[in-house]
Amino acid sequence: MARKPSGSGPDSPWGGRTRDAARPVPPRDTAPRRDQREEVRLYGRNAVQAVFAHRPRAIRKLYLSQAMIPQLQPLLKWCVAQRVGYRVVEEAELGKLAASSHHEGVVADVLRQVPGALEPWLRDLSEGPCCVLWLDGIGNPHNFGAILRSAAHFGVSAILLPEQSGLGLSGAAARVAEGGAEAVPLLRFADGEDAMARLRRAGFTLAATLARGGADLFGTSLPQRLIYVLGAEGEGMGDALARDCDLRLSIPGSGAVESLNVAAAAAVLLAAWRARIGI
């Protein structure tokens, strides 16, 4: 039998049991929580550690393997102090909880972070260089996670999501993002044309990114305040949205393949902007 981790004894809110994660002992405080936001199940060491670093009170439950106990000691101690239930389970159980074999020994149920609104974000935005991504129709969680990771790496200030977009953070996206999901705010907006006008008033140039037919990314002068508009995987963005943007850009290549994956394209676009403005 596995040894119980520090803090999983009788004072643990789940009674300190190290098996049978499906039947936890309820916390002693059974009063309903004020915060009834939707929970999302995240997995992967960097994804869970990023939530702990940025918004620890969002963590509701934690499951981990025996091998992860030494690496997660600060998180486990915090769980004990805050009476957040955690349980040591077998690798197979973690795979079931995550619905993935890529859990890296830890799974957590956390409060989903609600996307912010555009206007307050614009009001509080500092002067100076700023790059933003506008995601139009992107739905693949692995692509979304890879975009989040690149966005965090290159210092993207926000990711814009149209209100009709069903895109949201999932366990798969958070794992692929490797912590980037906690570093870049998501913003939702209702009306495309009004959003464009507000963004332009804030000094942004909007650039449609096209598989072909746009200006050469590497030969075009890029503004300090730029929004890259990225279309859906495969079909790309709608013609109307592309026409409404101020620039239309394409990434030149050999022609051996039709285009880059949208997540790979995002990384190239962000690297070009950062190199061009010298930060």
Side-chain angles (χ1 to χ4, degrees):
M1 182 179 290
R3 292 182 292 108
K4 289 188 248 185
S6 172
S8 64
D11 288 335
S12 168
W14 285 2
R17 296 171 59 194
T18 58
R19 293 291 183 269
D20 194 7
R23 294 183 294 153
V25 176
R28 291 176 185 169
D29 180 6
T30 57
R33 297 182 185 274
R34 287 186 177 182
D35 194 335
Q36 297 293 334
R37 280 188 291 153
E38 179 186 357
E39 292 182 8
V40 59
R41 178 159 288 171
L42 304 185
Y43 55 91
R45 186 180 63 184
N46 287 336
V48 173
Q49 290 279 51
V51 176
F52 179 48
H54 291 272
R55 49 188 189 105
R57 294 192 179 277
I59 299 171
R60 289 295 180 258
K61 299 183 185 74
L62 183 70
Y63 309 87
L64 69 155
S65 67
Q66 183 77 26
M68 288 298 293
I69 292 172
Q71 299 180 55
L72 297 178
Q73 276 298 306
L75 174 53
L76 295 177
K77 290 177 181 178
W78 184 90
C79 287
V80 172
Q82 300 298 320
R83 302 184 60 75
V84 172
Y86 71 88
R87 189 181 303 279
V88 176
V89 298
E90 300 289 353
E91 292 281 335
E93 184 66 23
L94 287 170
K96 292 178 183 177
L97 289 164
S100 170
S101 61
H102 302 292
H103 51 74
E104 299 176 338
V106 60
V107 176
D109 292 335
V110 306
L111 290 175
R112 185 184 297 278
Q113 195 159 24
V114 178
L118 181 59
E119 198 59 46
W121 180 81
L122 286 173
R123 184 182 61 238
D124 298 336
L125 187 62
S126 301
E127 297 293 330
C130 183
C131 191
V132 173
L133 296 179
W134 174 321
L135 305 186
D136 177 60
I138 292 172
N140 183 291
H142 295 91
N143 281 338
F144 184 37
I147 290 170
L148 284 167
R149 184 174 183 175
S150 293
H153 179 77
F154 289 109
V156 165
S157 297
I159 290 179
L160 305 181
L161 303 174
E163 190 174 56
Q164 66 271 22
S165 169
L167 191 62
L169 188 66
S170 65
R175 186 198 65 79
V176 173
E178 294 287 357
E182 297 298 320
V184 184
L186 302 181
L187 307 176
R188 286 203 185 275
F189 58 91
D191 181 79
E193 290 184 6
D194 182 57
M196 284 185 171
R198 285 184 284 170
L199 291 163
R200 287 186 177 111
R201 284 197 296 270
F204 284 101
T205 297
L206 286 88
T209 57
L210 310 175
R212 64 190 65 81
D216 184 334
L217 170 69
F218 304 117
T220 302
S221 177
L222 299 178
Q224 289 203 339
R225 292 169 82 84
L226 177 64
I227 297 174
Y228 284 123
V229 184
L230 301 175
E233 301 93 345
E235 64 269 23
M237 74 179 67
D239 291 340
L241 179 57
R243 284 195 303 269
D244 287 341
C245 291
D246 307 302
L247 299 173
R248 280 154 292 280
L249 301 173
S250 295
I251 300 171
S254 67
V257 293
E258 183 179 6
S259 64
L260 288 173
N261 165 279
V262 65
V268 174
L269 292 162
L270 293 173
W273 174 80
R274 192 174 178 92
R276 206 69 52 81
I277 64 170
I279 63 171

